[in-house]
């Protein structure tokens, strides 16, 4: 104050009127405050931030990477200039109740609030960046939580800024907004529903980033790549992107294949149709041929012994085809397929593995192979499945069986040629 008084006296001694001297005095003082503020801002940005960044790089801790992230510290340093101006501007405008002083302080306070909100926002983003890279948290809907906190943060900040502009308490302003709660709920309906749905999806472990989900009703069949406050992004297998509101995943049904990925195998359930006219009893020559197959030798001999014991016990002549128990080529074929599946290294033997006959139809007898492939990724899984049925189709003639298929033009051409 003494310095300002000295400047004021000097200006009056130069012949300047007292009112103009006061105005020049205030202008010079305000200019000095601005210079000091921007010098402090420059020192923080170009010196202190570089020193802090250099020290952070030398540490092995993770928390300092979040707190002292460059973008976070830049927003924090931007608060220095307006805080200095807000504190020292009353020195320049010393008159109590000055409208200029109140206006400048109000602008500084609004700028400080906006900068502080930007600092908190950058801090939250830094926290999200660090923790979303951790393996145990990578599949959590962290982005949706971040967006929820950001919406609340900026909403509260906007209320405070408006209260400063109209010079009213934020509490009274919030109380006045209670009457507009219905309008606010309508405006933020999707965000509110998305937040609640995100909490339900996370709490019930229904969905994670990286899950393969199928929702045919909305054209989704692929991998979840992002879970946000308002959308769940799914990359389909044809590389198209489908966005689904989170509340639809809670209110509607969808199929999540994560259980299959976490289990011991991916199911194969496919059948081939056998022509019923090719099914017959095995002759001694056929049984002799089957004994030469490594996977069938023990089965054929054991089954023949069981049949012989049964026929002998019941005084049945093995030569009588009608009364005696005999093996069929279809039964031997089914036993071969069972032994073949159990010999494959890519079939999980701890899960269900069987070959069964389904109800005969006008397209033959369906012979179904039901097993679980230990390779669960799409391409290897399809390769194992194709290899199995390639072998099945190729081995069928060895058992004097035929695959049923509808006649084609070539079949009719051969019949009439």
């Amino acid at each position: 104050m003494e310095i300002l008084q000295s400047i004021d006296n000097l200006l009056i001694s130069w012949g300047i009127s007292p009112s103009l001297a006061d105005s020049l005095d205030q202008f010079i003082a305000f200019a000095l405050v601005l210079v000091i503020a921007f010098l402090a801002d420059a020192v923080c940005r170009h010196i202190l931030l570089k020193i802090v960044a250099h020290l952070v790089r030398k540490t092995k801790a993770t928390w300092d990477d979040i707190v002292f992230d460059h973008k976070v510290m830049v927003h924090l340093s931007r608060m220095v200039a307006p805080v200095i101006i807000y504190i020292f501007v009353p020195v320049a405008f010393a008159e109590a109740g000055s409208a200029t002083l109140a206006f400048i302080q109000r602008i500084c306070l609004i700028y400080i609030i906006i900068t502080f909100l930007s600092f908190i926002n950058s801090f939250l983003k830094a926290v999200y960046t660090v923790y979303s890279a951790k393996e145990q948290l990578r599949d959590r809907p962290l982005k949706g939580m971040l967006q929820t906190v950001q919406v609340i943060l900026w909403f509260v900040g906007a209320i405070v800024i408006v209260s400063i502009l109209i010079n009213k308490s934020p509490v009274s302003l919030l109380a006045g907004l209670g009457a507009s709660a219905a309008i606010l709920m309508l405006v933020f309906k999707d965000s509110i529903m998305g937040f609640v749905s995100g909490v339900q999806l996370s709490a019930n472990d229904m969905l994670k980033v990286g899950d393969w989900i199928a929702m045919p009703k909305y054209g989704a069949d692929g991998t979840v790549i992002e879970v946000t406050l308002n959308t769940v992004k799914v990359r389909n297998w044809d590389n198209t992107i489908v966005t689904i509101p989170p509340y639809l995943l809670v209110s509607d049904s969808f199929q999540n294949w994560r259980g299959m990925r976490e289990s011991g195998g991916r199911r194969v359930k496919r059948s081939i149709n056998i022509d019923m006219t090719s099914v017959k009893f095995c002759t001694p020559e056929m049984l002799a041929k089957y004994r030469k197959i490594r996977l069938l030798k023990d089965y054929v001999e054991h089954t023949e012994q069981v049949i012989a014991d049964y026929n002998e016990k019941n005084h049945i002549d093995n030569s009588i085809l009608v009364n005696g128990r005999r093996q069929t080529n279809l039964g031997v074929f089914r036993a071969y397929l069972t032994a073949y599946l159990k010999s494959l290294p890519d079939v999980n033997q701890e899960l269900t593995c069987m070959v069964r006959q389904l109800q005969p139809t006008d397209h033959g007898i369906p012979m179904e192979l039901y097993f679980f492939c230990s390779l669960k990724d799409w391409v290897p899984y399809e390769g194992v499945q194709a290899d199995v049925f390639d072998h099945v189709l190729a081995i069928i003639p060895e058992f004097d069986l035929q695959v049923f298929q509808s006649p084609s033009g070539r079949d009719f051409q051969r019949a009439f040629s």
Side-chain angles (χ1 to χ4, degrees):
M1 295 296 294
E2 294 179 358
I3 296 174
L4 294 177
Q5 187 64 38
S6 300
I7 295 174
D8 195 19
N9 294 333
L10 180 61
L11 292 174
I12 293 174
S13 66
W14 288 350
I16 300 174
S17 62
S19 60
L20 181 59
D22 288 339
S23 299
L24 290 174
D25 186 22
Q26 291 177 355
F27 176 78
I28 293 171
F30 184 61
L32 288 174
V33 172
L34 291 179
V35 170
I36 293 172
F38 286 106
L39 282 176
D41 180 72
V43 170
C44 289
R45 290 195 189 188
H46 301 290
I47 297 177
L48 292 180
L49 288 186
K50 290 183 178 180
I51 294 174
V52 171
H54 179 70
L55 294 175
V56 169
R57 282 195 295 268
K58 290 187 175 182
T59 64
K60 296 181 180 180
T62 304
W63 65 269
D64 57 355
D65 296 333
I66 300 174
V67 177
F68 298 107
D69 182 77
H70 179 70
K71 294 181 180 179
V72 176
M73 297 304 295
V74 165
H75 285 291
L76 184 62
S77 67
R78 287 175 182 170
M79 296 178 61
V80 174
V83 167
I84 292 176
I85 295 173
Y86 183 82
I87 293 174
F88 291 101
V89 75
V91 178
F93 303 96
E95 296 181 6
S98 172
T100 305
L101 174 61
F103 175 77
I104 293 175
Q105 284 190 317
R106 192 171 296 178
I107 294 298
C108 289
L109 192 57
I110 291 174
Y111 186 81
I112 291 170
I113 292 173
I114 293 175
T115 308
F116 178 74
L117 293 176
S118 300
F119 161 70
I120 298 297
N121 187 51
S122 299
F123 177 77
L124 292 174
K125 286 183 178 179
V127 172
Y128 166 75
T129 301
V130 171
Y131 282 96
S132 62
K134 293 183 178 295
E135 188 66 30
Q136 62 270 28
L137 297 175
R138 188 174 297 174
D139 53 2
R140 297 294 179 184
L142 298 179
K143 192 166 187 179
M145 297 179 183
L146 170 66
Q147 291 176 332
T148 303
V149 176
Q150 286 176 324
V151 169
I152 297 173
L153 177 70
W154 286 105
F155 178 75
V156 174
I159 295 295
V160 175
I161 291 172
V162 172
S163 67
I164 293 172
L165 289 174
I166 63 177
N167 198 23
K168 287 189 176 181
S169 171
V171 178
S172 63
L173 191 61
L174 285 171
L177 288 175
S180 305
I183 298 176
L184 292 175
M185 290 184 66
L186 181 63
V187 172
F188 295 103
K189 180 189 70 172
D190 291 338
S191 298
I192 295 172
M193 293 177 66
F195 171 69
V196 174
S197 301
V199 171
Q200 288 181 313
L201 291 172
S202 178
N204 297 321
D205 199 18
M206 297 169 61
L207 186 72
K208 296 179 181 178
V209 175
D211 284 355
W212 169 17
I213 67 170
M215 207 170 184
K217 185 177 179 180
Y218 300 99
D221 185 13
T223 304
V224 177
I225 59 175
E226 189 177 57
V227 180
T228 64
L229 182 61
N230 293 319
T231 60
V232 173
K233 289 185 179 180
V234 180
R235 183 185 296 278
N236 288 337
W237 302 121
D238 57 359
N239 286 329
T240 58
I241 304 295
V242 176
T243 56
I244 306 172
Y247 58 84
L248 288 179
L249 295 170
V250 176
S251 61
D252 214 333
S253 63
F254 69 96
Q255 186 177 20
N256 193 328
W257 291 81
R258 191 202 316 160
M260 178 272 295
R261 291 187 179 277
E262 294 176 351
S263 67
R266 185 172 176 179
R267 189 184 70 174
V268 176
K269 183 182 178 184
R270 185 185 289 186
S271 61
I272 54 173
N273 293 329
I274 304 296
D275 189 344
M276 286 185 284
T277 61
S278 64
V279 180
K280 56 186 176 182
F281 287 109
C282 294
T283 63
E285 293 76 16
M286 294 169 64
L287 293 175
K289 182 176 68 171
Y290 298 153
R291 286 190 180 93
K292 296 178 181 179
I293 301 175
R294 179 179 57 84
L295 296 176
L296 282 178
K297 181 180 178 182
D298 293 338
Y299 170 80
V300 172
E301 292 180 350
H302 173 73
T303 306
E304 281 294 296
Q305 185 62 46
V306 170
I307 291 175
D309 294 342
Y310 174 83
N311 291 341
E312 182 179 357
K313 180 180 179 180
N314 292 278
H315 306 288
I316 298 175
D317 189 356
N318 288 335
S319 62
I320 302 176
L321 188 62
V322 177
N323 296 325
R325 290 184 59 186
R326 306 288 295 274
Q327 295 194 69
T328 63
N329 57 348
L330 185 61
V332 175
F333 176 62
R334 181 165 51 85
Y336 171 80
L337 293 181
T338 302
Y340 172 69
L341 291 178
K342 292 184 180 297
S343 69
L344 296 178
D346 294 328
V347 175
N348 192 328
Q349 306 300 333
E350 296 180 358
L351 301 177
T352 304
C353 178
M354 66 176 176
V355 179
R356 60 175 181 168
Q357 290 185 26
L358 302 181
Q359 179 70 29
T361 66
D362 54 352
H363 291 88
I365 303 176
M367 185 71 69
E368 183 182 80
L369 280 69
Y370 189 106
F371 63 95
F372 288 83
C373 177
S374 58
L375 303 178
K376 291 166 280 188
D377 291 336
W378 193 7
V379 175
Y381 164 79
E382 292 292 346
V384 170
Q385 185 173 219
D387 289 342
V388 168
F389 280 89
D390 287 348
H391 180 82
V392 171
L393 292 172
I395 202 69
I396 283 177
E398 297 295 326
F399 295 88
D400 297 318
L401 293 169
Q402 293 181 0
V403 178
F404 180 91
Q405 61 182 13
S406 300
S408 63
R410 179 175 297 182
D411 296 321
F412 290 112
Q413 185 178 2
R414 289 176 179 174
F416 292 103
S417 61

